[in-house]
């Protein structure tokens, strides 16, 4: 049998474990181009380089080192990179026109200092900001550091093993990085734990693209207070060679506040909360059932505070006359929710400032100017909003709407029965799907023995696939059909298509007998795929799906006024006639390849996790049996979105952009190039633009209009295009005026003529004394004698 091919110039690692590997080696490369004339390039490699690059017994086990290549210049001094990997699947390219429209001012890549430079030269922004606020911004800007500093270790555009940022911490070596955090956190010894990970670029997931965990990092004991996850940059020897990826403070919130927050948030969100529809709620094909199928208990995500909106590229409250940051269906409950959220923010902020001070400074740059878009009290308010997730499975994603240079603070709240339990019935993990541990087998064994690490060899799952794709809905709004189902409505003509669909034990709601596996992952199933508990008990159980409580009741069953029905039919109605196909899987394909990532954190009650969610792919695993009314885990994600640096939620900025956009659309409508929607037409008419009667519209902005729907002047004889300004109609000539500025300059120039300045000289009452009068008479007499008639 032929031996595996080895790279030329690299000596293999010694087979004898007792012998120490060489500390240095020489890698040679002969240039094959004619101009090189056989020149040999030699490069000194450290043992770490050899370990990462040398071949093992099989070429399939070669460690993976991803690279990045530039693909777009942002125009603001930065370059965007994309991963180029041998294992990465080909991804669909985004629509460049849509991307340019959403990020027309490069807000997704501007650093805080770049934003400050832009706004300081923006006359419109400066008009709405006081001089004192400007000086505060300039003073805070002196504390900011560069986001991605350069070095001379490699040429520009060289390969990077994963995202590069330094605002969570950096150093030249692992020892210096530990010293850095010991000084920053004022701790040391066993209280500070450092874990090294390696970026592979290969996402750990199931065959249906749902999250899994391969290595679970746990708190090793009460002596461990902090955990810092770090990585080493590929072939770097500068002060930015080692960077922090995640920071965890195990005892973040006080027990009293954490317990109170769980009780209040679980009750108010389940009873009065309005779910936010998120893309990461399902897999790419939108066919998984990771949140559960019973919509009265499924995992849910709620958003409070200020957020960026793609429709206006600023705060979502830019149009609101009455702002409800903590909006619930019951207005009277918003005050209590705001109080607990503000209390949580005030306790998380100092923790965040101590764990990641550079990131906190970046997020506090515009806190005085954009105080309306911040939560919390006092000085130093880095957060603009909170995402509250209750038993919510977040598939692999990045928080792309977050500001550059910031981070998210994730607070974990556990249900009472899981807070002190050594073995939990079910547990949700926070995962970094693209990272693997970067340590020797001996180190792994030692961590496992200490209880700080759990290494899995399989991830048993019940893969549930919906035959019907999940319908997209508007964020924060519940579809009418879903609301009717949650209220207990069953169509009269409803017929169950497949009885096998709902006999699987995983479809049982919370509170019913049996060990129900999660719809994307399960434990405790026997060989036949069924769980303990009789189907008779399940079929005869009556329960209530009351959307106002979110809890099951064994005695009170009133889905409608007097109607009750068996569980199987109820589940059919709740699932909206979806057919679900299930099969068992251990996800061994992810465990066969050691380079597939899946480093997970078992976060404890009240812990605080800091991570750069804008750049790092992250996820949370699904639960066997989600129940948002009594969730296993509540995750509170404190964040700040981009472009939240305007006063008054950016209302003035919105009005300015709206005026320019509406004038442009009006001119295009006059030229016969544009057909508005009914909402757009109404908004433009409210702004003062004149339209004739019976204007044609389209249903949606992206709909293609009929040729007859476009405006033609001959169809409306006598119509004069105009805009009402100061209760006066000003005509618009769309042939020569295409810019709003041109129109207003013409409007001002055609106004009433300005009188001469001398006519506006103020007049004062003249008070003359007798002496003055005598002097006047004297000069008048002299003038009469000199120039008067002879």
């Amino acid at each position: 049998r032929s031996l595996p091919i080895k790279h030329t110039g690299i000596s293999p690692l010694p087979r004898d474990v007792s012998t120490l590997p060489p500390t240095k080696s020489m890698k040679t490369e002969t240039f094959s181009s004619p101009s090189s004339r056989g020149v040999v390039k030699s490069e000194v490699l450290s043992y770490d380089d050899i370990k990462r690059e040398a071949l093992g017994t099989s070429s399939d086990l070669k460690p993976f080192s991803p690279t990045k290549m530039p693909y777009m210049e942002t125009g603001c001094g930065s370059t965007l990179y994309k991963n180029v990997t041998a294992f990465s699947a080909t991804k669909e390219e985004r629509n460049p026109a849509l991307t340019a429209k959403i990020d027309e001012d490069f807000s997704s890549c501007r650093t805080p200092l770049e934003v400050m430079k832009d706004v300081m030269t923006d006359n419109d922004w400066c008009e709405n900001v006081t001089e004192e606020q400007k000086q505060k911004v300039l003073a805070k800007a002196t504390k900011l550091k560069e986001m991605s500093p350069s070095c001379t270790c490699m040429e520009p555009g060289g390969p990077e093993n994963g995202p590069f940022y330094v605002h969570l911490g950096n150093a030249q070596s692992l020892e210096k990085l530990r010293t850095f955090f010991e000084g920053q956190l004022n701790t040391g010894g066993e209280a500070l734990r450092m874990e090294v990970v390696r970026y592979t670029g290969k996402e750990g997931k199931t065959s249906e693209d749902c999250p899994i965990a391969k290595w679970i990092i746990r708190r090793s004991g009460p002596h461990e207070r902090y955990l810092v996850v770090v990585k080493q940059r590929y072939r770097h020897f500068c002060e930015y060679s080692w960077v922090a990826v995640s920071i965890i403070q195990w005892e973040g919130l006080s027990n009293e506040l954490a317990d109170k927050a769980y009780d209040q948030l679980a009750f108010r969100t389940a009873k009065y909360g309005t779910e936010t529809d998120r893309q990461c709620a399902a897999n790419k094909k939108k066919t998984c059932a990771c949140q559960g199928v019973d919509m009265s208990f499924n995992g849910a995500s709620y958003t409070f505070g200020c957020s960026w909106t793609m429709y206006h590229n600023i705060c979502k409250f830019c149009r609101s006359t009455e702002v409800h940051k903590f909006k619930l269906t019951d207005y009277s409950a918003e005050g209590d929710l705001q109080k607990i959220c503000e209390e949580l923010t005030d306790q998380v902020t100092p923790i965040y400032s101590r764990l990641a001070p550079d990131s906190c400074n970046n997020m506090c740059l515009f806190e005085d100017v954009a105080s309306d878009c911040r939560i919390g009290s006092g000085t130093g308010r880095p957060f603009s909003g909170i995402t509250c997730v209750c038993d919510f499975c977040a598939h692999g994603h990045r928080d792309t709407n977050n500001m550059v240079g910031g981070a998210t603070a994730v607070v974990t709240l556990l249900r009472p029965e899981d807070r002190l339990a050594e073995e939990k019935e079910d547990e949700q993990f926070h995962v970094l799907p693209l990272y693997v541990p970067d340590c020797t087998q001996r180190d792994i064994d030692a961590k496992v023995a200490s209880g700080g690490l759990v290494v899995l060899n399989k991830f048993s799952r019940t893969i549930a696939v919906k035959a019907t794709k999940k319908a997209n809905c508007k964020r924060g709004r519940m579809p009418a059909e879903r609301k009717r189902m949650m209220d207990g409505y069953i169509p009269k003509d409803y017929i169950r298509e497949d009885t096998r669909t709902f006999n699987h034990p995983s479809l049982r709601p919370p509170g019913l007998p049996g060990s129900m596996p999660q719809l994307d992952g399960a434990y405790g199933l026997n060989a036949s795929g069924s769980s303990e508990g009789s189907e008779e008990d399940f079929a005869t159980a009556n329960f209530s799906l009351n959307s106002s409580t979110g809890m099951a009741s064994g005695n009170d069953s009133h889905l409608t006024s007097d109607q009750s029905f068996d569980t199987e039919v109820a589940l059919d109605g709740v699932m909206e006639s979806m057919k679900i196909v299930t099969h068992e899987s251990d996800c061994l394909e992810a465990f066969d390849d050691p380079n597939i990532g899946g480093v997970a954190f078992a976060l404890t009650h009240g812990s605080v996790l800091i991570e750069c969610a804008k750049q790092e792919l992250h996820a949370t695993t699904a639960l066997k049996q989600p129940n948002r009314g009594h969730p296993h885990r509540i995750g509170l994600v404190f964040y700040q979105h981009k472009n939240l640096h305007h006063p008054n939620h950016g209302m003035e900025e919105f009005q300015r952009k709206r005026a320019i956009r509406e004038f442009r659309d009006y001119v295009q409508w006059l030229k016969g190039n544009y057909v508005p929607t009914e909402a757009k037409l109404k908004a433009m008419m409210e702004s003062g633009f004149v339209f004739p009667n019976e204007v044609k519209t389209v249903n949606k902005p992206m709909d293609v209009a009929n040729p007859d729907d476009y405006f033609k002047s001959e169809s409306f004889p006598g119509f004069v295009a105009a805009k009402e300004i100061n209760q006066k109609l000003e005509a618009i000539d769309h042939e020569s005026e295409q810019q709003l500025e041109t129109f207003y300059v013409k409007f001002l120039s055609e106004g009433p003529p300005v009188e001469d300045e001398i006519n506006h000289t103020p007049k004062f009452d003249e008070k003359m004394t007798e002496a003055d009068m005598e002097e006047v008479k004297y000069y008048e007499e002299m003038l009469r004698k000199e120039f008067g008639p002879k």
Side-chain angles (χ1 to χ4, degrees):
R1 186 174 61 178
S2 60
L3 295 175
I5 302 175
K6 296 181 174 58
H7 285 313
T8 304
I10 301 182
S11 56
L13 294 175
R15 300 297 181 186
D16 188 2
V17 182
S18 61
T19 60
L20 294 177
T23 57
K24 297 288 182 180
S25 179
M26 188 70 68
K27 177 180 178 180
T28 61
E29 179 181 355
T30 304
F31 293 93
S32 59
S33 60
S35 59
S36 63
R37 299 180 180 178
V39 176
V40 177
K41 176 185 176 182
S42 57
E43 179 182 359
V44 177
L45 299 180
S46 64
Y47 167 65
D48 189 72
D49 294 329
I50 299 175
K51 181 183 70 174
R52 297 180 187 276
E53 294 186 2
L55 289 174
T57 57
S58 172
S59 59
D60 296 334
L61 300 179
K62 177 184 177 182
F64 175 61
S65 298
T67 61
K68 287 189 172 186
M69 64 174 293
Y71 73 95
M72 188 179 79
E73 296 293 336
T74 63
C76 56
S78 303
T79 304
L80 299 183
Y81 293 86
K82 64 180 179 181
N83 291 333
V84 180
T85 68
F87 307 99
S88 298
T90 304
K91 297 181 180 180
E92 297 181 359
E93 295 293 336
R94 292 186 177 182
N95 185 345
L98 180 61
T99 303
K101 181 174 179 60
I102 294 176
D103 199 22
E104 56 187 1
D105 61 348
F106 301 107
S107 58
S108 294
C109 60
R110 288 189 302 174
T111 65
L113 285 177
E114 290 172 337
V115 173
M116 187 199 68
K117 293 177 182 177
D118 291 341
V119 298
M120 287 298 179
T121 57
D122 186 351
N123 295 331
D124 296 306
W125 186 86
C126 292
E127 288 178 357
N128 301 316
V129 176
T130 65
E131 191 63 30
E132 181 182 0
Q133 290 175 330
K134 293 181 185 178
Q135 294 303 322
K136 288 183 178 179
V137 171
L138 293 174
K140 292 181 179 180
T142 59
K143 303 178 182 179
L144 305 189
K145 300 179 181 178
E146 191 175 355
M147 295 292 97
S148 301
S150 59
C151 64
T152 58
C153 297
M154 300 185 68
E155 297 180 357
E160 282 285 353
N161 54 334
F164 170 51
Y165 49 87
V166 297
H167 53 277
L168 297 187
N170 64 277
Q172 187 175 9
S173 63
L174 181 59
E175 293 75 14
K176 292 183 179 180
L177 188 57
R178 180 179 181 86
T179 303
F180 168 80
F181 277 105
E182 287 177 348
Q184 180 169 285
L185 303 178
N186 192 23
T187 187
E190 294 183 344
L192 176 61
R193 175 181 172 188
M194 308 283 286
E195 287 291 343
V196 184
V197 296
R198 178 167 57 89
Y199 180 89
T200 65
K202 303 181 70 175
E203 182 180 356
K205 55 187 178 181
T206 68
S207 58
E208 295 297 323
D209 295 334
C210 299
I212 66 169
K214 295 178 65 177
W215 300 271
I216 303 174
I217 298 177
R218 298 185 179 274
R219 188 182 185 184
S220 58
H223 58 275
E224 182 182 319
R225 296 182 55 196
Y226 302 98
L227 168 65
V228 181
V229 180
V230 301
K231 67 177 180 181
Q232 184 182 14
R233 296 177 66 198
Y234 183 71
R235 289 188 178 179
H236 276 264
F237 311 97
C238 58
E239 57 179 322
Y240 311 111
S241 300
W242 288 81
V243 295
V245 177
S246 302
I247 308 172
I248 299 176
Q249 181 172 332
W250 294 111
E251 298 176 1
L253 304 182
S254 62
N255 292 332
E256 180 183 1
L257 178 59
D259 297 347
K260 181 175 68 172
Y262 177 90
D263 295 336
Q264 295 192 19
L265 291 172
F267 171 74
R268 286 184 172 81
T269 55
K271 190 171 184 179
Y272 307 116
T274 301
E275 295 180 48
T276 302
D277 190 20
R278 303 180 62 191
Q279 291 184 358
C280 63
N283 56 357
K284 295 179 181 178
K285 295 182 290 186
K286 306 298 179 185
T287 56
C288 74
C290 291
Q291 311 303 344
V293 291
D294 190 339
M295 289 174 292
S296 296
F297 306 99
N298 65 319
S301 175
Y302 311 92
T303 301
F304 306 113
C306 293
S307 304
W308 173 86
T309 171
M310 62 175 289
Y311 301 107
H312 308 298
N313 200 24
I314 42 179
C315 178
K316 66 181 180 181
F317 294 120
C318 62
R319 304 177 58 183
S320 304
T321 56
E322 187 177 356
V323 176
H324 292 272
K325 290 187 178 182
F326 302 90
K327 187 174 182 179
L328 298 173
T329 56
D330 184 0
Y331 178 76
S332 61
E334 292 182 9
D336 294 334
L337 176 64
Q338 180 176 357
K339 183 178 179 181
I340 188 63
C341 288
E342 296 281 357
E343 189 176 353
L344 286 167
T345 305
D346 291 341
Q347 192 163 128
V348 171
T349 297
I351 296 175
Y352 175 47
S353 178
R354 185 175 68 258
L355 296 181
D358 292 340
S359 179
C360 186
N361 291 336
N362 293 333
M363 297 174 68
C364 291
L365 179 61
F366 293 98
E367 63 167 322
D368 298 301
V369 176
S371 59
D372 296 318
C373 289
R374 300 295 183 270
I375 58 176
S377 60
T379 58
R381 298 192 296 164
F383 304 116
S384 68
I386 303 174
T387 296
C388 176
V389 289
C390 301
D391 280 1
F392 182 80
C393 170
H395 294 66
H397 70 287
R398 297 178 178 87
D399 297 352
T400 55
N401 294 337
N402 286 4
M403 62 165 287
V404 176
T408 57
V410 182
V411 175
T412 294
L413 306 174
L414 301 180
R415 62 180 184 175
E417 53 266 42
D418 291 342
R419 292 168 188 172
L420 300 177
E422 294 183 1
E423 294 185 4
K424 302 178 179 60
E425 177 187 358
D426 195 10
E427 190 173 10
Q428 186 177 64
F429 304 112
H430 185 97
V431 189
L432 298 177
L434 301 180
Y435 285 90
V436 301
D438 191 8
C439 55
T440 63
Q441 186 61 43
R442 180 180 299 179
D443 294 334
I444 291 179
D445 295 339
K447 298 178 192 297
V448 171
S450 66
L453 181 66
V454 177
V455 180
L456 304 180
N457 55 15
K458 64 179 181 178
F459 203 72
S460 300
R461 317 290 281 175
T462 299
I463 306 296
V465 181
K466 297 178 181 179
T468 305
K469 179 181 177 181
K470 177 181 178 291
N472 295 326
C473 65
K474 293 185 178 180
R475 289 182 176 273
R477 297 185 181 180
M478 184 182 300
E481 186 66 20
R482 175 173 179 174
K483 188 177 186 304
R484 296 172 71 193
M485 287 294 184
M486 291 183 65
D487 291 339
Y489 170 77
I490 297 181
K492 294 181 179 180
D493 57 349
Y494 176 75
I495 300 175
R496 185 178 55 205
E497 297 180 359
D498 188 353
T499 57
R500 296 174 302 168
T501 302
F502 312 107
N503 286 336
H504 196 281
S506 65
L507 305 181
R508 294 172 177 170
L512 292 180
S515 174
M516 275 69 69
Q518 137 199 7
L519 294 190
D520 177 73
Y523 299 94
L525 292 181
N526 56 30
S528 63
S530 62
S531 61
E532 298 178 359
S534 64
E535 294 294 333
E536 289 77 16
D537 294 339
F538 170 64
T540 57
N542 291 327
F543 63 97
S544 169
L545 300 178
N546 192 329
S547 60
S548 63
T549 61
M551 298 295 291
S553 174
N555 299 321
D556 186 15
S557 176
H558 52 277
L559 291 171
T560 57
S561 57
D562 296 318
Q563 181 184 15
S564 64
F565 45 86
D566 63 89
T567 303
E568 198 168 353
V569 176
L571 285 174
D572 286 354
V574 172
M575 292 175 61
E576 304 179 43
S577 304
M578 288 185 183
K579 296 179 63 177
I580 294 183
V581 180
T582 62
H583 67 275
E584 305 301 321
S585 173
D586 290 334
C587 304
L588 296 179
E589 67 277 2
F591 290 84
D592 292 339
D593 188 347
N595 291 311
I596 292 181
V599 174
F601 304 123
L603 299 174
T604 57
H605 183 59
S607 62
V608 179
L609 162 69
I610 308 297
E611 69 177 0
C612 186
K614 182 179 179 68
Q615 295 179 263
E616 297 289 359
L617 190 76
H618 57 284
T620 51
T621 57
L623 289 159
K624 302 176 186 177
Q625 191 175 329
N627 181 5
R628 67 179 180 209
H630 185 62
H632 297 72
R633 174 180 178 266
I634 295 179
L636 300 175
V637 183
F638 295 80
Y639 63 86
Q640 181 184 150
H641 277 179
K642 61 184 179 181
N643 267 19
L644 300 186
H645 55 266
H646 297 278
N648 196 21
H649 300 286
M651 184 174 295
E652 291 80 6
E653 178 72 6
F654 166 73
Q655 296 294 349
R656 182 181 68 86
K657 288 184 176 181
R658 178 182 179 181
I660 296 174
R661 182 172 59 250
E662 287 183 345
F663 186 86
R664 175 202 63 198
D665 295 341
Y666 187 67
V667 170
Q668 292 300 319
W669 175 79
L670 291 172
K671 291 184 175 183
N673 299 330
Y674 171 68
V675 178
T677 61
E678 289 188 10
K680 181 71 173 180
L681 178 63
K682 181 180 179 181
M684 295 174 70
M685 294 178 68
E686 291 176 351
S687 299
F689 292 97
V690 178
F691 287 88
N693 296 329
E694 299 180 357
V695 176
K696 300 293 184 179
T697 59
V698 293
N699 294 327
K700 298 180 181 179
M702 301 303 293
D703 288 351
V704 179
N706 296 324
D708 297 336
D709 294 343
Y710 292 96
F711 173 75
K712 299 180 181 63
S713 57
E714 56 270 17
S715 301
F716 300 93
F719 169 72
V720 178
K723 186 180 190 299
E724 183 180 354
I725 302 177
N726 297 331
Q727 298 181 350
K728 181 181 178 182
L729 290 178
E730 298 295 332
I732 297 178
D733 181 11
H734 66 276
E735 295 296 336
S736 60
E737 299 162 354
Q738 298 185 18
Q739 298 295 329
L740 181 65
E741 293 80 0
T742 308
F743 170 72
Y744 278 113
V745 169
K746 179 175 179 292
F747 164 69
L748 293 175
S749 63
E750 293 180 353
V754 180
E755 300 181 7
D756 193 8
E757 291 183 1
I758 195 171
N759 295 330
H760 297 280
T761 303
K763 298 180 179 180
F764 302 97
D765 294 336
E766 298 181 358
K767 296 181 180 180
M768 301 182 67
T769 62
E770 293 182 1
D772 294 333
M773 294 297 295
E774 291 293 334
E775 185 177 1
V776 170
K777 290 180 180 180
Y778 171 76
Y779 285 111
E780 286 179 348
E781 184 65 22
M782 289 184 62
L783 290 172
R784 187 183 61 78
K785 291 179 180 181
E786 183 71 24
F787 301 102
K790 301 296 183 183

